Amino acid sequence: MGARQTEVLDTSTHTLTLYCGDEPYFVLCDKRRPELAKPEPIESRQKLSIKAGADGALSIRLGDEPIGEFKDDSDEEAAKLAHFVAQWRQVLSELDLSPSWSSVSSQSSAHSNRIHEFLREHKAEFTTEKLVSIRCVTWNVHGEQLNTQDLNDLLGVPIMADLYAVSLQESDILGPKNLYANTSTFENNTKAILERLGDSYELVASNQLLGLSVMVFANQELARQISHVRRATTGTGLFGIWGNKGAAAVWFRLGWDASLEDENGIDIAVVNCHLSAGDDQLDRRKWELTEIEKKLGIPGLAAKKFEELLSDVEVGNSSDEGDDQLVLLMGDLNFRISMDREMVVDFAEKGDFRTLVNQDQLTVCMKDDNVLSKFCEGEISFEPTYKLVASQPRYDFARVPSYTDRIFYSRGFDDILTQLEYASRDYLISDHKPVIARFDLTTTLIDYVKRKSLIDNALKDWDQLENSSRPIVEISPKEVTKKDGHILDNNEVWLEIHHASTSPVGLASWSIKLDPPGQIQAYPHEGKIPAGASQKIRLWYYATVESPKAEGIAIIQIANGADTFVPLSLSCLPSCIGASLDLMSRMPNGARKGQIMDQSSTNMPKEIYNCVDYIWTRLRRDMFETRGDPSLQSQVQEWLDNGENIDAEVLDEANRLSDGIGIFSVVSQFLIVLHYLDGGIIPEDYYKTVLLGKEGVNLILESIPSVNVNVLLYLSSFLGRAIDEARIPLSQILDIFEPILISIPPGKQKKDSKKRREFLTALLDK
């Protein structure tokens, strides 16, 4: 097969390159950030539109994105533009007409359907009904850390559950200086739980809303059965929207297999609620349940009097869909007992919990107002969990002890869900006791070893049935595994097709398809091989921060011959690209070594310091305008990821051979690291402070984490030096570093620019 036909459109700000062929794709390169350009598959919605401006220039848009202006000052330029647009539209028309790889009529889909049909027929051989033990925990920790406690009793150690659903409230006490979710607190609590559970457990789903956090842990055997993870939050606190009260939820599917289609797996939701406090806030709590039902799509929460609020509202799940999911609802619901304090204490000491429950506001609301109509609760046979005097085993004299901390589960699952325990645990660090619930869930799980064996045996049998007169070819290797790929790079592997010299046919026609399509690419896609010859096929995938791993199957199709299925597993080496500043500061030996400290060894990530340290004494006016050498950039990233110092001698020698290329390479790679910082330098949560302009500078420096402050000041000093000594225009610095230093919320990129630049100008003291 010949080389792809390439068409190029050059505008004032971008270069758009179209690669035509069986699988067309394009590369859109922003001239200001050329290092971020990447190939993307072309889709039918990516229309190319042109609009004439008042100055005679043509404004070009790709889909909804403006990609610069084009001036057709001559007939030749106009012809170039017309030709490019015609080619683009031709590719789109072919995409609309041609069947996709997933089309029923396509040969590769037929093979995939054959496997799926085979698995459906043999479902009983690789699925099994299992008993999954679940332990739910809810605890208002009142700002305390779990790593200070022995968690054995809380987690039931050494009798381990298969699945843990842990919901914490007030993991951080909110105040004027602490208005946002603290990721370090979440990480510390997660680590404390995992240390107690042991190496055979992992965090499979999580979510956080200010002081609310929900974490789902599973043993490794069960973890691979979990898929379709999603999450959502809603605030119901101050002004009805702030997250000091509300809910954080995660959803996941347990025991799902793509080949089995319907009635496959069970959907589980874990919802952590923290409702308004106070004896007089009963209606407020009912309203909050209505908001959570409406915004998270969890049916059966709202009271009768609030049902009209939901009648015309489209929620995340229809009532039918909601009834199909098992919801574990827990948290500090803050409902109180309507009795005098002394009576509550007396009944609790006597163990008369039924009387207390009968006077519980939530119990009454469930009977009278239909609150939590689709939920059940185990029998309460423990003392009220709130309000204790912290560090003392007694109730606060000013409050009526109440069952504020509860765990509910969906009705309608009696045939598969059994509650084994519902109890509180004696911990004294908070004014609440934690509450736990244990369940056994009977569900169908996948035996992946048997599944793989079935597929392997089936493929062998199908191969043996092929006609012996067909072409004799050998595909190597039989399985492709690559573990040393690089983020933001096309990582390649090779397959080879050998047509045996003893083959009964002179030419073997072949083609390759990939399942699933899109992530892994192949070239060439088809061809003919004479007997005794070989054909090499290049496979590659572009690894992104979000998708550093690609898996699939390469299906080699031989005309009049057997198809060969080659499993592909391609992954990347660990990298600082995509890490947060906090994580970088806790990897003193680089990402590759795998050593992550509990606390930062330095408040300046080594990766950032080393880059700036090299550039500091080698400033150039054009250092942000010239692209680096790809091989040198790769070497720079190797030094960063291995925790090594940048080798100035190597780069300076490169500078002598090609003016400034070592400097350009460090700068280009440094910008990539900064661009992909997880959470950014000034996190999005502080965006409103940035909009205060110069008045927001000191507020930012007082608010963001210390490592972010140090990096921000270090980069500001570096950029100020670049402006003063290298004479780089302030406007150019702002163009490049505004989206790097400030995490701009979606939809705000074109807004608030004046205030953002005022802030950065003040930060740079310019």
Side-chain angles (χ1 to χ4, degrees):
M1 178 182 289
R4 285 181 181 269
Q5 179 183 348
T6 303
E7 305 290 346
V8 179
L9 175 64
D10 193 41
T11 74
S12 58
T13 59
H14 290 73
T15 299
L16 177 60
T17 306
L18 171 64
Y19 296 86
C20 306
D22 293 339
E23 292 178 28
Y25 66 93
F26 70 92
V27 174
L28 180 63
C29 176
D30 187 334
K31 294 178 180 178
R32 296 170 299 180
R33 302 296 301 277
E35 71 278 4
L36 301 183
K38 62 179 181 180
E40 297 183 43
I42 190 169
E43 300 176 355
S44 58
R45 65 176 179 273
Q46 291 163 328
K47 309 294 185 183
L48 197 65
S49 58
I50 303 172
K51 184 177 181 180
D55 59 352
L58 301 176
S59 178
I60 314 295
R61 298 180 73 89
L62 179 58
D64 296 329
E65 181 181 0
I67 61 171
E69 294 183 341
F70 183 91
K71 290 192 176 182
D72 54 347
D73 296 332
S74 65
D75 292 343
E76 183 181 356
E77 292 298 314
K80 286 182 179 178
L81 177 61
H83 176 73
F84 185 91
V85 172
Q87 290 297 112
W88 187 275
R89 291 176 177 172
Q90 177 65 27
V91 169
L92 290 184
S93 67
E94 292 174 356
L95 281 177
D96 291 335
L97 294 174
S98 63
S100 67
W101 284 0
S102 60
S103 169
V104 174
S105 63
S106 69
Q107 189 173 2
S108 63
S109 179
H111 288 287
S112 181
N113 289 341
R114 186 180 184 185
I115 294 175
H116 286 184
E117 182 180 352
F118 172 82
L119 288 174
R120 287 193 292 273
E121 292 174 354
H122 294 79
K123 174 182 176 181
E125 297 178 42
F126 70 94
T127 61
T128 181
E129 192 173 88
K130 287 284 186 76
L131 200 65
V132 176
S133 58
I134 302 174
R135 188 181 187 93
C136 296
V137 176
T138 182
W139 193 3
N140 184 321
V141 294
H142 199 56
E144 298 294 335
Q145 301 287 307
L146 296 186
N147 56 15
T148 65
Q149 301 296 300
D150 182 345
L151 301 180
N152 283 355
D153 191 31
L154 188 72
L155 300 175
V157 177
I159 302 174
M160 310 299 291
D162 299 313
L163 189 77
Y164 288 84
V166 180
S167 295
L168 303 180
Q169 305 86 41
E170 295 189 20
S171 55
D172 284 299
I173 300 296
L174 303 179
K177 293 186 178 181
N178 183 17
L179 301 179
Y180 300 94
N182 189 331
T183 56
S184 63
T185 298
F186 179 84
E187 291 171 358
N188 289 339
N189 286 334
T190 300
K191 181 181 178 182
I193 294 172
L194 283 173
E195 285 180 347
R196 187 58 60 188
L197 295 179
D199 295 339
S200 61
Y201 284 79
E202 60 186 85
L203 180 69
V204 294
S206 65
N207 203 358
Q208 185 177 19
L209 174 69
L210 296 187
L212 277 176
S213 59
V214 55
M215 298 162 281
V216 179
F217 304 89
N219 61 39
Q220 291 176 353
E221 181 178 352
L222 190 66
R224 67 182 305 192
Q225 306 275 347
I226 291 174
S227 62
H228 296 72
V229 176
R230 63 184 180 90
R231 62 184 186 177
T233 61
T234 182
T236 62
L238 190 63
F239 308 120
I241 58 172
W242 195 45
N244 61 321
K245 294 293 187 289
V250 295
W251 290 259
F252 58 91
R253 187 170 295 172
L254 181 63
W256 179 84
D257 188 278
S259 64
L260 300 182
E261 298 180 340
D262 299 333
E263 299 181 2
N264 180 19
I266 180 172
D267 289 314
I268 299 177
V270 180
V271 185
N272 180 12
C273 297
H274 192 186
L275 306 184
S276 293
D279 296 345
D280 58 347
Q281 295 296 309
L282 179 58
D283 281 344
R284 174 74 182 192
R285 289 189 280 273
K286 294 179 185 178
W287 174 84
E288 288 175 319
L289 288 173
T290 303
E291 287 295 289
I292 294 169
E293 173 172 344
K294 178 172 61 177
K295 293 179 180 178
L296 296 188
I298 305 293
L301 300 183
K304 285 182 179 178
K305 65 180 293 186
F306 293 111
E307 286 179 349
E308 64 272 12
L309 297 176
L310 298 173
S311 59
D312 297 321
V313 176
E314 181 180 353
V315 297
N317 295 293
S318 71
S319 59
D320 291 340
E321 290 174 334
D323 289 341
D324 291 338
Q325 65 180 352
L326 170 61
V327 181
L328 301 173
L329 176 75
M330 63 192 82
D332 180 0
L333 304 185
N334 256 321
F335 286 88
R336 307 306 171 90
I337 294 176
S338 301
M339 297 175 67
D340 291 336
R341 179 189 181 281
E342 290 73 16
M343 294 179 65
V344 173
V345 173
D346 183 56
F347 281 119
E349 290 177 348
K350 293 177 180 179
D352 187 353
F353 306 123
R354 177 172 296 182
T355 298
L356 297 179
V357 171
N358 288 337
Q359 297 301 314
D360 168 62
Q361 288 179 343
L362 182 52
T363 302
V364 174
C365 287
M366 291 175 70
K367 293 178 180 178
D368 297 345
D369 297 330
N370 215 27
V371 169
L372 300 182
S373 60
K374 295 188 177 182
F375 289 87
C376 303
E377 183 181 22
E379 180 182 354
I380 295 178
S381 57
F382 50 89
E383 296 179 352
T385 56
Y386 173 84
K387 177 183 184 185
L388 302 171
V389 177
S391 77
Q392 299 183 36
R394 63 180 178 85
Y395 291 111
D396 187 307
F397 288 110
R399 302 292 179 91
V400 176
S402 297
Y403 293 109
T404 58
D405 309 282
R406 313 285 277 269
I407 299 176
F408 292 84
Y409 59 95
S410 298
R411 292 185 182 277
F413 289 84
D414 295 345
D415 55 336
I416 61 172
L417 187 72
T418 303
Q419 183 159 5
L420 305 176
E421 184 180 7
Y422 191 31
S424 65
R425 289 293 183 262
D426 293 325
Y427 285 85
L428 302 178
I429 60 171
S430 170
D431 54 359
H432 290 252
K433 285 184 179 182
V435 172
I436 67 100
R438 293 194 300 115
F439 302 92
D440 274 347
L441 173 67
T442 303
T443 189
T444 300
L445 299 181
I446 310 298
D447 188 325
Y448 289 101
V449 175
K450 290 183 179 178
R451 184 184 187 277
K452 183 178 185 303
S453 177
L454 282 170
I455 294 176
D456 290 344
N457 291 334
L459 294 177
K460 290 177 183 178
D461 292 342
W462 295 341
D463 285 343
Q464 291 174 359
L465 292 176
E466 298 295 342
N467 195 306
S468 60
S469 64
R470 293 178 176 179
I472 302 174
V473 298
E474 182 177 355
I475 314 297
S476 61
K478 301 299 184 185
E479 184 172 346
V480 176
T481 301
K482 180 180 177 66
K483 298 181 179 180
D484 58 351
H486 292 84
I487 297 289
L488 305 181
D489 197 3
N490 283 319
N491 299 283
E492 68 178 20
V493 291
W494 294 86
L495 284 176
E496 184 174 38
I497 307 174
H498 178 69
H499 188 192
S501 58
T502 56
S503 177
V505 297
L507 284 176
S509 297
W510 66 273
S511 64
I512 181 172
K513 301 296 181 183
L514 296 164
D515 185 18
Q519 190 175 16
I520 301 176
Q521 307 293 325
Y523 185 82
H525 298 96
E526 61 185 10
K528 296 181 178 180
I529 312 173
S534 298
Q535 170 71 60
K536 287 190 174 181
I537 305 173
R538 176 178 177 254
L539 300 172
W540 76 95
Y541 81 104
Y542 185 82
T544 65
V545 172
E546 296 79 12
S547 300
K549 184 176 182 179
E551 292 185 333
I553 298 176
I555 305 170
I556 312 298
Q557 301 173 339
I558 307 297
N560 298 319
D563 292 347
T564 301
F565 297 79
V566 181
L568 308 174
S569 179
L570 316 176
S571 58
C572 288
L573 293 166
S575 175
C576 66
I577 296 177
S580 65
L581 290 175
D582 172 68
L583 181 58
M584 279 192 204
S585 69
R586 294 187 287 114
M587 295 189 298
N589 298 317
R592 296 279 171 81
K593 302 299 190 297
Q595 178 187 4
I596 302 177
M597 303 175 64
D598 295 340
Q599 295 181 341
S600 171
S601 61
T602 171
N603 269 332
M604 176 58 62
K606 188 176 181 181
E607 295 87 347
I608 291 176
Y609 175 82
N610 282 348
C611 289
V612 174
D613 184 58
Y614 177 78
I615 306 167
W616 189 271
T617 56
R618 298 168 177 83
L619 298 172
R620 290 177 58 117
R621 170 66 179 79
D622 59 349
M623 65 182 186
F624 294 122
E625 301 172 356
T626 307
R627 182 178 296 186
D629 175 75
S631 61
L632 279 179
Q633 285 186 228
S634 178
Q635 179 59 68
V636 170
Q637 192 62 47
E638 286 290 305
W639 289 328
L640 299 181
D641 288 337
N642 284 296
E644 300 171 355
N645 294 327
I646 287 178
D647 193 329
E649 292 185 5
V650 171
L651 295 174
D652 288 344
E653 178 62 24
N655 290 330
R656 285 190 288 273
L657 296 174
S658 178
D659 183 31
I661 193 64
I663 299 169
F664 302 145
S665 299
V666 174
V667 170
S668 296
Q669 200 62 25
F670 183 47
L671 290 177
I672 290 174
V673 172
L674 293 179
H675 175 82
Y676 285 98
L677 280 175
D678 183 15
I681 297 174
I682 300 177
E684 186 177 313
D685 290 341
Y686 300 89
Y687 183 71
K688 290 185 179 179
T689 307
V690 170
L691 297 187
L692 297 176
K694 62 182 179 180
E695 295 179 2
V697 173
N698 287 335
L699 292 175
I700 286 290
L701 296 177
E702 293 173 359
S703 304
I704 63 177
S706 59
V707 64
N708 296 59
V709 172
N710 290 342
V711 170
L712 184 60
L713 292 176
Y714 189 45
L715 291 180
S716 299
S717 177
F718 162 63
L719 295 177
R721 181 180 173 89
I723 294 170
D724 294 339
E725 297 191 11
R727 302 300 180 189
I728 299 177
L730 174 61
S731 60
Q732 182 184 4
I733 293 294
L734 295 180
D735 286 343
I736 296 172
F737 282 89
E738 178 183 345
I740 288 177
L741 298 179
I742 302 171
S743 297
I744 304 173
K748 298 288 187 179
Q749 285 84 352
K750 298 178 182 178
K751 299 178 181 179
D752 311 322
S753 178
K754 183 176 179 181
K755 279 296 183 182
R756 293 197 298 264
R757 294 196 169 217
E758 177 187 328
F759 172 87
L760 291 177
T761 302
L763 179 68
L764 298 175
D765 195 22
K766 300 299 177 187

